[in-house]
């Protein structure tokens, strides 16, 4: 293509973005702008972490959008589909998100966080002293994209049988079953790594939690798939074994803000591991995302088809 114009949207320039700028500047005219104060007029490529649909009103040449992250629900994917704009995201950190999910699962079923809280109080009470082993369980993978596959790799490497819902993919050693209900019957612990779509909204409701007596869930996907009221009821009643939740419907936007991101007192329950959207906050995760997207943009400018093109009609 002719020398393109890139709009690079960042909260602040840092070392990772400086490297991106130096790598792309020989290939394109790169304009650095903030997260919201920019125009897409004249831009062929947008690189950022979010976009308001209104920005597209001035997009007279926009052909491709690159997200230096995995989640794309902060972008107007429906409008991209209508306008034929390509959206590319990054899955470079999927292995590490899977590692965090595995850690949450071990912490949950072995009751490490609960025992830690008790020990900090000097509590050696003679309540139930026993923990369970993840190695004796069967796992269900709800979502079998990049993260789901990496979770499966970790689990199967440790001899843990894995199941997932049959969506017509190649599942290797993972056994595919016909429905979520069947997955609940087969598995002792479910790993959720779903995107935010209309189809996943409220997928885990009272009916599904009713099928998980004595069982566990770990969510490192989007929060919309869980009915909070139904989950709290299932956990408080003792019906479910427990839950480890990393994503919530709201999150803190201010440094030092005290925020409980749920409408029900999950923090009062012992059979819950609470995490504040930390699965993707790997110490060098940002640098990894930016470097990966830099490579994808350079490949695109040089005429190659980028990896990880999002199906905007589906939203993931």
């Amino acid at each position: 293509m002719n020398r393109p114009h890139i709009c690079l949207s960042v909260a602040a320039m840092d070392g990772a973005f400086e490297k991106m700028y130096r790598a792309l500047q020989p290939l394109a005219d790169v304009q650095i702008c903030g997260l919201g104060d920019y125009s897409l007029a004249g831009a062929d490529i947008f690189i950022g972490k979010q976009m308001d649909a209104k920005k597209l009103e001035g997009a007279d040449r926009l052909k491709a959008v690159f997200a230096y992250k995995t989640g794309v629900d902060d972008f107007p994917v429906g409008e991209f589909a209508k306008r034929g704009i390509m959206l590319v995201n990054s899955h470079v950190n999927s292995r590490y998100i899977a590692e965090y999910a595995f850690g949450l699962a071990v912490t949950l079923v072995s009751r490490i966080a609960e025992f830690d809280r008790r020990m900090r109080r000097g509590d050696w009470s003679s309540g139930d002293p026993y923990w369970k082993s993840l190695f004796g369980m069967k796992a269900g993978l709800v979502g079998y994209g990049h993260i789901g596959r990496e979770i499966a790799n970790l689990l199967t490497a440790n001899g843990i049988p894995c199941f997932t819902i049959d969506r017509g993919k190649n599942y290797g050693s993972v056994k595919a079953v016909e429905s979520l209900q069947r997955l609940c019957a087969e598995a002792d612990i479910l790993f959720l790594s779903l995107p935010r779509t209309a189809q996943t909204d409220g997928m885990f409701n009272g009916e599904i939690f009713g099928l998980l007596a004595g069982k566990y869930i770990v969510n490192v996907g989007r929060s919309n798939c869980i009915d909070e009221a139904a989950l709290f009821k299932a956990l408080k009643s003792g019906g479910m074994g427990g839950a480890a939740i990393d994503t919530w419907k709201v999150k803190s936007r201010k440094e030092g803000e005290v925020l409980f991101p749920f409408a029900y007192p999950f923090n009062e329950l012992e059979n819950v591991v609470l995490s504040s959207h930390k699965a993707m906050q790997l110490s060098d995760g940002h640098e990894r995302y930016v470097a990966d997207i830099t490579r994808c943009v350079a490949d695109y400018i040089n005429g190659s088809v980028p990896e990880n093109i999002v199906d905007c009609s589906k939203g993931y």
Side-chain angles (χ1 to χ4, degrees), residues 54-231:
K54 291 183 179 179
K55 293 291 186 183
L56 291 174
E57 295 173 3
D60 52 347
R61 288 169 31 183
L62 189 66
K63 303 176 186 68
V65 173
F66 292 82
Y68 46 83
K69 62 177 190 173
T70 299
V72 295
D73 43 287
D74 290 326
F75 291 87
V77 293
E79 285 298 315
F80 290 170
K82 292 177 186 176
R83 294 167 180 252
I85 296 171
M86 181 180 69
L87 175 61
V88 176
N89 63 348
S90 174
H91 297 278
V92 71
N93 285 324
S94 294
R95 182 186 182 196
Y96 306 99
I97 295 171
E99 177 188 3
Y100 195 85
F102 186 84
L104 286 174
V106 172
T107 300
L108 176 65
V109 303
S110 63
R111 301 172 63 196
I112 290 173
E114 178 188 345
F115 294 151
D116 173 78
R117 288 190 295 269
R118 290 187 182 186
M119 194 72 263
R120 289 172 187 271
R121 300 192 302 264
D123 181 358
W124 292 68
S125 62
S126 59
D128 181 7
Y130 300 108
W131 56 275
K132 295 181 179 179
S133 172
L134 186 64
F135 296 157
M137 295 184 175
K138 294 183 290 184
L141 306 171
V142 188
Y144 199 74
H146 290 79
I147 296 170
R149 291 194 294 272
E150 292 289 357
I151 293 173
N153 290 339
L154 278 171
L155 295 171
T156 55
N158 284 280
I160 300 168
C162 292
F163 300 78
T164 194
I165 302 168
D166 192 352
R167 304 292 188 198
K169 299 181 180 180
N170 178 12
Y171 299 107
S173 62
V174 176
K175 183 177 180 181
V177 297
E178 67 274 14
S179 66
L180 177 58
Q181 288 77 5
R182 184 62 188 171
L183 192 66
C184 291
E186 291 285 356
D188 303 297
I189 182 168
L190 299 181
F191 290 84
L192 284 55
S193 58
L194 293 165
R196 182 188 302 276
T197 68
Q199 289 70 38
T200 63
D201 198 40
M203 180 184 291
F204 282 80
N205 52 29
E207 175 192 349
I208 296 300
F209 290 131
L211 302 175
L212 296 174
K215 301 185 179 187
Y216 303 84
I217 65 167
V218 174
N219 187 23
V220 291
R222 290 300 189 235
S223 61
N224 70 301
C225 67
I226 292 178
D227 180 329
E228 262 191 29
L231 175 60

